[in-house]
Amino acid sequence: EVQLVQSGAEVKKPGESLKISCKGSGYRFTGYWIGWVRQMPGKGLEWVGIIYPGDSDTRYSPSFQGQVTISVDKSISTAYLQWSSLKASDTAIYYCVRRPFSYGPVPGFDYWGQGTLVTVSS
Amino acid sequence: AIQLTQSPSSLSASVGDRVTITCRASQDIRSALAWYQQKPGKTPNLLIYDASSLETGVPSRFSGSGSGTDFTLTISSLQPEDFATYYCQQFDSYPWTFGQGTKVEI
């Protein structure tokens, strides 16, 4: 069974750093893209970025470029999203997502983690 | 970045109704579009990929159509469990973008 299991909720102060995780299981971790989606309170979905664990090819949305870092540890099938200096506006649920690699039909995000609530407040 | 505009933003419908949601892209995205359903307090769920392919396990009352700039998600006979917010997303070019969502209410 494919699962993406994310780390637990975090409460941080502005200016603090944070690294949240997403562990994949039940599939070949290096064969699928894994990414992150933000959902601010009461708002829609925003794509943050994505990484291909096989070669660490990483893409970011311009809205998040320079604000977050996406990384992966293949040895433990885990992806990370990190901030060096959080802002109150980073308060949101962050979902990790999986996307198949395909030369044919264009796939979507077929599996989602349960979400990690990040609250940034002084 | 490619903008996706969904319409309507919200709609009221009854069980058994046929519901249609549209997603318009600001430029040609071929068939690189997916649709998701999100129920309150829950994780989004992939319904349709490649504009018209039904994800495994998704009921056949959901269907997708379109290519280029205009796309449609249709629910042929609305069920109680279908009341949710629906999002489209394009994968044609980076940054991948979502529509603003369509809330389907009773």
Side-chain angles (χ1 to χ4, degrees):
Chain A
E1 178 194 7
V2 174
Q3 285 190 305
L4 298 176
V5 179
Q6 298 184 226
S7 49
E10 302 274 1
V11 179
K12 292 288 189 179
K13 291 181 168 46
E16 292 186 332
S17 63
L18 175 64
K19 192 174 189 177
I20 62 175
S21 66
C22 170
K23 183 173 177 61
S25 63
Y27 71 99
R28 186 170 64 89
F29 186 73
T30 53
Y32 292 77
W33 292 88
I34 191 158
W36 295 91
V37 172
R38 182 175 82 173
Q39 188 165 38
M40 299 176 77
K43 302 299 184 183
L45 305 174
E46 301 172 88
W47 177 65
V48 176
I50 201 154
I51 188 166
Y52 190 69
D55 60 7
S56 294
D57 183 12
T58 310
R59 310 296 175 98
Y60 293 94
S61 166
S63 299
F64 295 92
Q65 179 88 48
Q67 309 304 309
V68 298
T69 301
I70 294 172
S71 61
V72 68
D73 185 337
K74 292 187 290 187
S75 69
I76 55 172
S77 301
T78 299
Y80 302 96
L81 178 65
Q82 67 181 85
W83 296 258
S84 59
S85 180
L86 286 159
K87 308 180 189 67
S89 57
D90 293 318
T91 295
I93 296 173
Y94 292 85
Y95 295 102
C96 68
V97 293
R98 189 188 84 158
R99 184 174 189 250
F101 186 91
S102 172
Y103 289 112
V106 179
F109 294 151
D110 61 350
Y111 283 89
W112 294 61
Q114 82 275 20
T116 296
L117 175 61
V118 174
T119 303
V120 184
S121 174
S122 55
Chain B
I2 296 173
Q3 293 184 7
L4 297 180
T5 303
Q6 291 183 230
S7 59
S9 296
S10 64
L11 66 90
S12 296
S14 301
V15 173
D17 284 354
R18 182 181 182 87
V19 169
T20 298
I21 299 168
T22 65
C23 178
R24 175 162 288 177
S26 59
Q27 64 189 67
D28 186 350
I29 60 170
R30 297 171 290 178
S31 64
L33 190 92
W35 289 96
Y36 303 89
Q37 175 194 65
Q38 186 178 32
K39 298 179 182 179
K42 301 295 187 183
T43 298
N45 183 50
L46 177 65
L47 300 174
I48 301 288
Y49 64 95
D50 202 37
S52 60
S53 297
L54 192 68
E55 176 69 0
T56 303
V58 174
S60 59
R61 63 181 179 273
F62 292 94
S63 64
S65 64
S67 67
T69 60
D70 293 306
F71 301 86
T72 299
L73 174 70
T74 299
I75 309 171
S76 60
S77 177
L78 198 67
Q79 298 302 300
E81 60 268 29
D82 300 336
F83 292 96
T85 300
Y86 295 84
Y87 296 93
C88 57
Q89 182 191 17
Q90 67 84 18
F91 288 96
D92 184 72
S93 61
Y94 294 110
W96 297 335
T97 44
F98 289 92
Q100 82 279 15
T102 295
K103 188 173 185 179
V104 176
E105 300 174 296
I106 300 173

